[in-house]
Amino acid sequence: MKITTVDEAQRRLPELLQEAREDTIGLTDSDGNLVGLLAGLDEDSIDDLLAQTPGFKAMIARSLESLRSHGTVSVDEVLAEFRAAAAREKEGGGRTAAAEAGSG
């Protein structure tokens, strides 16, 4: 593992991002304490990382709870709502169809 300071990393970020594809780079503060890591990620690594992130887990939990309590919405219902909003916009309602459909 290579080591560099945060200050140096800020100056050399594009270069270090390229290097991180091959080797993890440790980032230290001005006192030499390791404060972070710069590591390259591939598609599988990103998926694994997301699956372990508390915020992502919470979002999934909220989505599942919403599905359990409200059920699913059919594509036909979504399209009907969007078309109605688009028709109102065309009549001069002022709001965009997407914004109107999202506020339903």
Side-chain angles (χ1 to χ4, degrees):
M1 177 169 71
K2 297 179 181 182
I3 301 290
T4 190
T5 64
V6 172
D7 289 338
E8 180 69 15
Q10 288 175 331
R11 288 190 291 274
R12 298 182 43 224
L13 188 58
E15 176 187 343
L16 291 175
L17 289 174
Q18 291 297 322
E19 290 179 25
R21 291 181 178 195
E22 302 297 323
D23 191 15
T24 302
I25 300 170
L27 302 174
T28 62
D29 62 16
S30 59
D31 295 326
N33 301 309
L34 188 64
V35 295
L37 297 172
L38 187 58
L41 296 174
D42 59 22
E43 197 68 33
D44 292 333
S45 299
I46 293 169
D47 292 344
D48 292 342
L49 185 61
L50 272 177
Q52 296 175 24
T53 303
F56 185 75
K57 286 181 178 180
M59 181 187 67
I60 296 297
R62 286 191 307 272
S63 296
L64 290 173
E65 180 56 34
S66 176
L67 281 172
R68 284 187 201 106
S69 60
H70 303 294
T72 60
V73 178
S74 73
V75 171
D76 291 335
E77 289 176 277
V78 172
L79 284 174
E81 210 174 296
F82 186 80
R83 287 179 179 135
R88 285 191 298 273
E89 179 185 342
K90 191 173 184 179
E91 293 172 3
R95 293 183 67 186
T96 66
E100 186 70 26
S103 67

